Amino acid sequence: MMPVFFLAGLEEGGVEELYEALVENEVGCVVDIRLTRGVDLEGALRRLSDLHGRCVDYRWLKVFGNPFFDRDDPVESYEGYLMGMDRELEDLYCLIMERRCCIVDDCADPMRSCRTALGEALKKRYGVSFADLTAAKQFVDRYGRR
């Protein structure tokens, strides 16, 4: 099944790589769920879009940021947090269905990230599929491109 949306972790200095992956996968909108925006992803995407002529829009949906990052099991706490967000999840789902989106957080490990928990919540609720661009890049870096 083809992914309906994508996930990615933003690391310092990795905006150009992220942009390349977005363009390669025909993503039209980045949904930033970081609580704080240390890296100016919006500005960087605007500059790269202007430079390369391929526009990638930006939305900051801070409401989906993980306020439990400092707990022993932040993902489990985050999953409970999402249970009370029916309207917000519906709005995000509508955005995903309108545009090809990539949900971005700042966690390098997809298995410990709130983006994966959010992706799983959308998958369970709406039956949509997703792929993590960060995990794919880590796989290619480790094993090479086939």
Side-chain angles (χ1 to χ4, degrees):
M1 178 186 286
M2 290 295 291
V4 174
F5 65 99
F6 295 93
L7 309 173
L10 180 64
E11 298 180 36
E12 291 290 331
V15 177
E16 290 82 9
E17 286 181 347
L18 174 62
Y19 178 80
E20 289 172 14
L22 297 172
V23 170
E24 184 176 313
N25 289 284
E26 300 177 358
V27 171
C29 183
V30 165
V31 178
D32 185 351
I33 62 170
R34 298 174 297 155
L35 287 176
T36 60
R37 300 186 286 184
V39 172
D40 180 13
L41 182 55
E42 181 178 18
L45 288 174
R46 189 177 317 112
R47 283 188 299 281
L48 289 165
S49 293
D50 290 346
L51 181 66
H52 297 289
R54 173 70 167 82
C55 183
V56 177
D57 291 333
Y58 174 88
R59 302 267 178 102
W60 186 32
L61 297 183
K62 178 180 168 180
V63 69
F64 288 113
N66 189 353
F68 308 106
F69 61 88
D70 60 347
R71 295 199 179 168
D72 288 338
D73 192 349
V75 174
E76 185 177 315
S77 299
Y78 183 73
E79 289 168 344
Y81 172 70
L82 290 176
M83 287 182 174
M85 300 183 74
D86 293 336
R87 189 188 91 252
E88 293 88 349
L89 287 168
E90 177 74 22
D91 290 346
L92 179 56
Y93 171 71
C94 289
L95 176 61
I96 287 169
M97 297 312 293
E98 285 174 19
R99 320 244 351 244
R100 193 160 175 96
C101 292
C102 181
I103 298 170
V104 174
D105 70 7
D106 55 6
C107 183
D109 182 0
M111 300 316 295
R112 295 200 33 86
S113 72
C114 61
R115 70 179 179 272
T116 301
L118 179 55
E120 289 293 342
L122 290 164
K123 179 180 176 180
K124 182 178 179 182
R125 186 177 289 233
Y126 301 106
V128 292
S129 60
F130 64 89
D132 194 302
L133 298 174
T134 308
K137 181 189 176 317
Q138 290 170 350
F139 183 83
V140 169
D141 288 348
R142 177 176 279 169
Y143 301 107
R145 196 175 284 276
R146 295 202 182 250

